[in-house]
Amino acid sequence: MSIDYCTKDDLIRFLSLEGVQAFSDVDGDGLEDDDVIQECIERASDEISGVIYPLYDLAKAATSRLVKHWCVVMATAYLCERRGNSVPASIGVEYDRICDQTSGLLARVASKKFVLPEIPQRTVNVPAFSNLIVDRRHRRDKVRVIPVISSQLAPTKIKQSSLREASID
């Protein structure tokens, strides 16, 4: 299921009706082409979803004003550059602020250095397990994890509570 984070009306409010018409008019009739606009919105929405899906529920993220703004800026940039046009400087600066691979907001969300306000983060609901052996070669028995056959699915930040040395006394 694909979620669109913005609408045609959002693009018109951001770029103006004349701007949307000029950049999306494929057949030269002077009217905006809804298919072209929808394609740009879907591309922007899919790229945003690809970044935030591991961390956030997409339906909840769709309620975020910030995500909507990102989608509007990205879809507008894609609309502007469709036929080899350059993206207006003000939109390009905002697009770079959002999409820069190293310091952009989406990159910071992916690296968990920036969180979406008022949207709870998704937690991994995959059980993790550790296979243990008791190493009896030492004076005191030691419990050890065998990583090769333990769960690697969900790395966790939860600290392991373990007894360093266990004896059979």
Side-chain angles (χ1 to χ4, degrees):
M1 178 179 108
S2 179
I3 294 178
D4 293 339
Y5 298 111
C6 70
T7 65
K8 173 183 162 184
D9 291 336
D10 296 326
L11 265 63
I12 290 171
R13 274 193 295 277
F14 187 73
L15 186 61
S16 81
L17 179 60
E18 293 80 15
V20 171
Q21 287 173 342
F23 285 113
S24 68
D25 184 14
V26 176
D27 52 11
D29 63 358
L31 299 174
E32 67 272 10
D33 187 337
D34 289 339
D35 291 338
V36 170
I37 296 168
Q38 187 60 33
E39 183 180 301
C40 293
I41 290 171
E42 288 173 358
R43 178 180 169 195
S45 295
D46 289 346
E47 289 181 15
I48 292 169
S49 292
V51 172
I52 66 174
Y53 176 74
L55 303 171
Y56 298 95
D57 179 62
L58 297 183
K60 291 179 182 171
T63 65
S64 170
R65 292 182 311 237
L66 184 60
V67 172
K68 179 180 180 177
H69 173 72
W70 292 349
C71 189
V72 168
V73 170
M74 292 170 68
T76 302
Y78 299 147
L79 184 64
C80 291
E81 70 184 10
R82 278 196 68 254
R83 293 180 293 194
N85 297 318
S86 60
V87 177
S90 60
I91 296 171
V93 167
E94 185 66 5
Y95 178 86
D96 290 340
R97 191 176 78 82
I98 295 166
C99 298
D100 185 79
Q101 293 293 322
T102 55
S103 63
L105 290 170
L106 284 173
R108 291 173 52 206
V109 167
S111 65
K112 298 181 181 178
K113 294 179 181 172
F114 183 83
V115 296
L116 296 178
E118 300 179 11
I119 307 293
Q121 285 193 340
R122 178 192 306 251
T123 58
V124 179
N125 294 325
V126 178
F129 60 90
S130 295
N131 285 304
L132 305 173
I133 62 167
V134 177
D135 190 352
R136 298 187 189 275
R137 294 178 293 170
H138 303 283
R139 271 185 75 197
R140 299 185 140 211
D141 297 336
K142 294 192 178 192
V143 177
R144 301 182 190 277
V145 175
I146 307 172
V148 178
I149 57 174
S150 295
S151 172
Q152 300 296 324
L153 296 176
T156 181
K157 293 182 180 179
I158 300 172
K159 300 293 182 202
Q160 182 179 8
S161 176
S162 64
L163 182 61
R164 296 282 179 213
E165 296 181 6
S167 68
I168 54 173
D169 294 338

